[in-house]
Amino acid sequence: MSTWRILQKSVKVAHNMGWKYIAFRSVYELNRRTGRLKKRFPEAPAITKYLSLERWKNQDAKFFFSSKDELKVPRHPDAVIAARYEMIREGKLSLFNGKVANLGLDYNWMKNPDSGFVYEADKHWTEINDYSREAGDIKFVWEKARFAYLYDIIRYDYHFNVDCSPFVLNDILSWIKANKVNCGPHYKCSQEISLRILNWTFALHYYRNSEHLTEAVFEQIQHAIYWQLHHVYENINFSRIAVRNNHAITETLALYLGGLLYPDFPGAKTWKENGRKWFIQEILYQIYPDGTYLQFSMNYHRVVIQLLTWAFRLAKLNGEEFPSAVKDRARKSLGFLRSCMNDSDGWLPNYGANDGALFFPLNNQQYRDYRPQLQALATLLDVDPGFPETYEDVYWYGQIPGENRQLAAEGQNGLFIYPDGGYYICREEETLTFMRCGNHRDRPSQADNLHLDIWYKGENVLIDAGSYKYNTNEQTLRYFMGTASHNTVMLEDFDQMEKGPRFIWYNWTQCRNAVLYEKKDEYIWEGTISAFQHAGTDIIHRRVVKKKKGQPLWKVEDYIMNKPVQMRMHQLWHTTLPEAINWRAVDADKKIIREEERPGVYSSLYGLKEESREIVFTTDQHAIITEISLI
């Protein structure tokens, strides 16, 4: 690549991300390479008792519950809970709530179960490469070390009235023994550290009165928690400036709660005050005024829902409140996600990055069922999301479902428009139609503008292919992150935006205009974006979707203005139910376009590929008009 081309791309990144981002990343990388960053994070400091077990038990800070003896969760010792527990006891783990991996009973915390690569436990975290082709996707190493699987053990303990404290505490101690402070892959990501702290804290409170939680055991755990919180605080600007997404929300919340729940730790007051302040700032920045989320991802939006639930409940239990503006964003988030939900199973479109994150699994529901997490937060906010049953999460957070809550209108049928995020949804009795036509003022992770998702009688008929993995070969990465895996249009082999390294896109797509309205017999979406800037000058993609009221009939019109004459346009559709769909497509001259059906792949769960079908209509003209009817 020429020097001029590199300079052009650098200017585009600076324009998109801002000079503050560029300056911070430059200085941060300089400090990392020169060893200055390393000096702020001491390796393996000597065990120090910052907090005794007795002092921790008697402190004023309140958790969701003080111990398992206090819980009022209805007991249901069912087969699902037992099966999950037995799987873990056998050394198996459901990675990212999907594929089950046999990790073994004597698990090596440094081993990537996907690639087999073993990280160096003694290497300082600043020297660990988190994006290595040889090592593979580092998320596979982090997955167990996040300790979300403890909830399956704790729920088994509670529902079957079996003491699992030795199992849980020994696993925590095993991790501490294998991981020197600030060394190895598990200190590379402050969000993973934050989640580990929160999940250990949950376990400590549950087993508060266990005879196995001795002073010696607690001493090791409190030391590890202190230094992990210290790490998060010292590195917080990386997530708040260089990343600024759900990582920043998780880490600032961990600092607030760390200071709140461990007030005797050195620096706890500072962590708490700054963590709360920064958490508020991140929520108000990252959740747009209409309740949509800057990462343009359903899964990452649910991550924020879970974190808000912890924040609101623990603050209230400890006599604190968050500003009304934060609660307003939370309510609007619930409304947005509820309007996108398929009522029969609680699933949402597989839209945006989906890395399998479900931080606090406190129920038996399938991973893609959003109802338990939405209900838990809704209960705190006195909102009724309109679900037919009460999920277990509500009780674990110390809440009792009320009867006089305001029903969320987003759970009803109608049109829903979210201009800040660029989402347009139509809900009918048997259909849910979802389209995005949005601006990007924050970094997009996928080139998926004007994607169309269709649900019929509870089935996701036209699907988003998902994410699969964040570190795999270039061809696979480009497919899942790029335009090819979405129900929209490509020009030849060009994505809507130009792919850069890792999660970087150049030439962000932007919305020119978008509307959703209804006529007597149909609903109509109209959306226009600027796109394909690396393929030609001033190229515009306009999409019009017309939905017949009360019938599973859609007409999709795609027009590419200023299309280079030599380039063909491809209209792409993805489905797992090709036999349920009838297609009829024509070009600008009303000539029939033959469909090309070919094997496809999608990833409903991170790290897993599943079979699908791709339907492609191609023309060298500037328009494709397709009628879609469902059987």
Side-chain angles (χ1 to χ4, degrees):
M1 187 183 298
S2 69
T3 303
W4 174 244
R5 185 70 172 139
I6 293 173
L7 180 61
Q8 282 183 313
K9 290 180 179 294
S10 299
V11 171
K12 287 179 180 178
V13 171
H15 174 76
N16 289 336
M17 304 301 296
W19 287 107
K20 182 179 180 181
Y21 166 87
I22 298 298
F24 176 83
R25 286 306 299 258
S26 299
V27 173
Y28 189 89
E29 185 61 19
L30 177 64
N31 287 336
R32 188 189 69 81
R33 295 191 178 193
T34 59
R36 292 175 186 167
L37 184 63
K38 182 177 179 178
K39 292 178 180 178
R40 288 173 28 206
F41 300 88
E43 296 182 38
I47 293 284
T48 303
K49 183 181 285 189
Y50 301 105
L51 177 65
S52 70
L53 178 60
E54 181 181 4
R55 172 60 182 159
W56 173 72
K57 286 185 176 182
N58 293 323
Q59 66 186 12
D60 294 332
K62 290 180 171 55
F63 196 63
F64 304 125
F65 48 84
S66 62
S67 71
K68 67 178 179 180
D69 306 315
E70 182 188 290
L71 284 165
K72 296 180 181 179
V73 181
R75 278 193 165 91
H76 297 292
D78 60 47
V80 174
I81 300 173
R84 289 183 180 181
Y85 171 75
E86 290 301 327
M87 181 182 71
I88 296 169
R89 286 293 299 180
E90 293 171 0
K92 299 175 182 177
L93 187 70
S94 174
L95 301 176
F96 315 107
N97 299 282
K99 179 182 178 181
V100 175
N102 189 354
L103 303 181
L105 297 176
D106 187 20
Y107 178 61
N108 182 353
W109 294 99
M110 300 300 143
K111 185 176 181 179
N112 184 325
D114 187 50
S115 67
F117 181 85
V118 179
Y119 287 87
E120 295 180 52
D122 294 330
K123 182 178 284 189
H124 195 272
W125 73 268
T126 57
E127 299 166 347
I128 296 288
N129 184 356
D130 63 347
Y131 202 69
S132 161
R133 181 171 297 180
E134 178 189 7
D137 193 335
I138 198 171
K139 285 180 63 62
F140 283 85
V141 183
W142 292 338
E143 177 67 354
K144 184 173 182 179
R146 154 181 301 188
F147 284 88
Y149 70 93
L150 292 186
Y151 293 98
D152 284 335
I153 302 173
I154 288 171
R155 290 181 64 235
Y156 176 83
D157 180 307
Y158 179 80
H159 288 288
F160 285 85
N161 198 25
V162 177
D163 183 16
C164 297
S165 60
F167 183 19
V168 170
L169 295 172
N170 285 338
D171 258 20
I172 294 174
L173 293 178
S174 168
W175 186 92
I176 293 172
K177 182 179 179 181
N179 288 269
K180 297 178 181 179
V181 170
N182 287 321
C183 294
H186 298 298
Y187 280 90
K188 185 69 178 179
C189 176
S190 291
Q191 182 181 43
E192 299 298 321
I193 295 172
S194 299
L195 294 172
R196 188 158 48 246
I197 293 166
L198 296 181
N199 293 334
W200 284 4
T201 299
F202 194 101
L204 284 175
H205 281 275
Y206 183 80
Y207 291 117
R208 173 194 180 96
N209 296 328
S210 170
E211 62 179 338
H212 300 283
L213 183 59
T214 64
E215 185 69 45
V217 168
F218 185 78
E219 182 175 296
Q220 293 185 63
I221 296 174
Q222 60 86 37
H223 176 81
I225 289 177
Y226 168 77
W227 278 105
Q228 288 178 92
L229 283 168
H230 177 276
H231 178 109
V232 173
Y233 187 77
E234 288 298 314
N235 204 38
I236 192 64
N237 281 338
F238 185 82
S239 67
R240 295 197 66 231
I241 298 174
V243 180
R244 201 146 205 204
N245 57 21
N246 69 92
H247 286 237
I249 293 178
T250 308
E251 294 166 33
T252 55
L253 177 64
L255 291 174
Y256 167 63
L257 295 182
L260 180 72
L261 300 174
Y262 301 100
D264 286 352
F265 280 168
K269 183 179 179 181
T270 301
W271 296 344
K272 178 176 178 288
E273 290 177 354
N274 286 333
R276 182 181 185 277
K277 176 181 67 177
W278 293 333
F279 179 78
I280 292 169
Q281 290 173 356
E282 293 304 322
I283 291 296
L284 296 180
Y285 178 81
Q286 294 192 36
I287 300 178
Y288 296 151
D290 63 1
T292 55
Y293 185 53
L294 94 172
Q295 283 193 271
F296 314 109
S297 159
M298 300 298 160
N299 176 56
Y300 284 150
H301 204 160
R302 177 171 62 171
V303 162
V304 177
I305 293 294
Q306 297 172 77
L307 298 171
L308 284 166
T309 303
W310 276 60
F312 291 168
R313 181 58 176 156
L314 289 174
K316 186 174 183 179
L317 286 170
N318 288 278
E320 300 185 5
E321 289 286 344
F322 282 93
S324 58
V326 173
K327 292 187 175 181
D328 181 63
R329 297 291 170 94
R331 289 190 185 92
K332 288 182 176 177
S333 288
L334 287 174
F336 165 66
L337 293 172
R338 183 65 182 88
S339 71
C340 299
M341 179 180 289
N342 176 48
D343 285 345
S344 65
D345 58 12
W347 287 30
L348 276 73
N350 194 26
Y351 184 77
N354 182 2
D355 67 354
L358 187 59
F359 293 167
F360 318 114
L362 288 165
N363 57 79
N364 288 348
Q365 301 306 114
Q366 208 269 359
Y367 157 77
R368 284 192 60 188
D369 184 350
Y370 282 46
R371 290 174 296 187
Q373 294 78 38
L374 267 61
Q375 185 181 69
L377 180 58
T379 302
L380 285 172
L381 296 173
D382 290 322
V383 174
D384 178 5
F387 301 146
E389 61 180 290
T390 300
Y391 299 97
E392 194 173 318
D393 305 52
V394 171
Y395 298 103
W396 283 99
Y397 292 126
Q399 293 288 287
I400 298 176
E403 297 179 354
N404 299 315
R405 305 183 192 279
Q406 180 182 358
L407 181 66
E410 292 81 359
Q412 303 169 23
N413 295 331
L415 303 182
F416 299 91
I417 300 172
Y418 302 93
D420 296 321
Y423 295 93
Y424 301 83
I425 298 119
C426 173
R427 297 176 61 91
E428 292 183 291
E429 191 67 31
E430 293 188 327
T431 67
L432 188 153
T433 310
F434 165 101
M435 190 173 86
R436 179 156 189 272
C437 181
N439 276 315
H440 291 121
R441 65 180 176 87
D442 297 292
R443 178 174 56 188
S445 64
Q446 299 192 351
D448 54 12
N449 225 337
L450 294 183
H451 168 81
L452 180 68
D453 226 81
I454 290 177
W455 299 66
Y456 179 53
K457 293 184 177 180
E459 295 284 350
N460 193 183
V461 180
L462 292 181
I463 62 174
D464 187 308
S467 296
Y468 181 52
K469 292 180 182 179
Y470 294 159
N471 186 0
T472 181
N473 63 72
E474 285 299 320
Q475 181 180 2
T476 304
L477 275 175
R478 187 181 166 198
Y479 175 78
F480 281 102
M481 297 176 74
T483 309
S485 61
H486 297 93
N487 299 321
T488 183
V489 167
M490 292 183 75
L491 281 183
E492 293 294 354
D493 193 37
F494 287 94
D495 292 298
Q496 293 175 343
M497 304 180 287
E498 184 180 2
K499 188 72 182 73
R502 299 198 66 175
F503 301 107
I504 297 294
W505 287 98
Y506 307 115
N507 305 324
W508 293 356
T509 57
Q510 301 295 357
C511 172
R512 293 289 187 92
N513 69 279
V515 293
L516 169 58
Y517 57 97
E518 64 179 300
K519 291 186 174 180
K520 180 180 179 181
D521 298 320
E522 62 186 2
Y523 302 105
I524 302 174
W525 292 257
E526 296 182 21
T528 303
I529 63 170
S530 57
F532 308 109
Q533 294 177 40
H534 53 307
T537 304
D538 197 27
I539 297 177
I540 302 296
H541 177 194
R542 178 170 181 260
R543 167 166 277 188
V544 179
V545 179
K546 299 177 180 179
K547 165 69 178 65
K548 194 76 171 177
K549 287 186 176 180
Q551 298 181 46
L553 300 173
W554 292 260
K555 184 178 182 181
V556 182
E557 304 173 9
D558 283 311
Y559 304 95
I560 303 293
M561 279 73 83
N562 303 318
K563 179 181 77 69
V565 176
Q566 75 279 11
M567 288 188 178
R568 298 173 301 166
M569 63 180 289
H570 308 287
Q571 188 188 66
L572 312 172
W573 303 105
H574 303 81
T575 183
T576 57
L577 301 166
E579 69 283 353
I581 309 174
N582 288 324
W583 311 88
R584 183 180 184 276
V586 299
D587 62 19
D589 293 332
K590 308 301 182 186
K591 293 181 180 178
I592 297 290
I593 304 174
R594 292 187 179 275
E595 67 185 73
E596 176 189 357
E597 181 175 337
R598 57 197 185 196
V601 291
Y602 82 109
S603 180
S604 179
L605 299 168
Y606 191 80
L608 284 177
K609 285 183 184 177
E610 303 162 70
E611 292 183 359
S612 67
R613 303 300 295 177
E614 295 182 1
I615 309 299
V616 182
F617 296 102
T618 300
T619 181
D620 58 5
Q621 296 194 25
H622 71 282
I624 298 177
I625 301 168
T626 303
E627 294 178 356
I628 302 170
S629 61
L630 305 183
I631 301 171

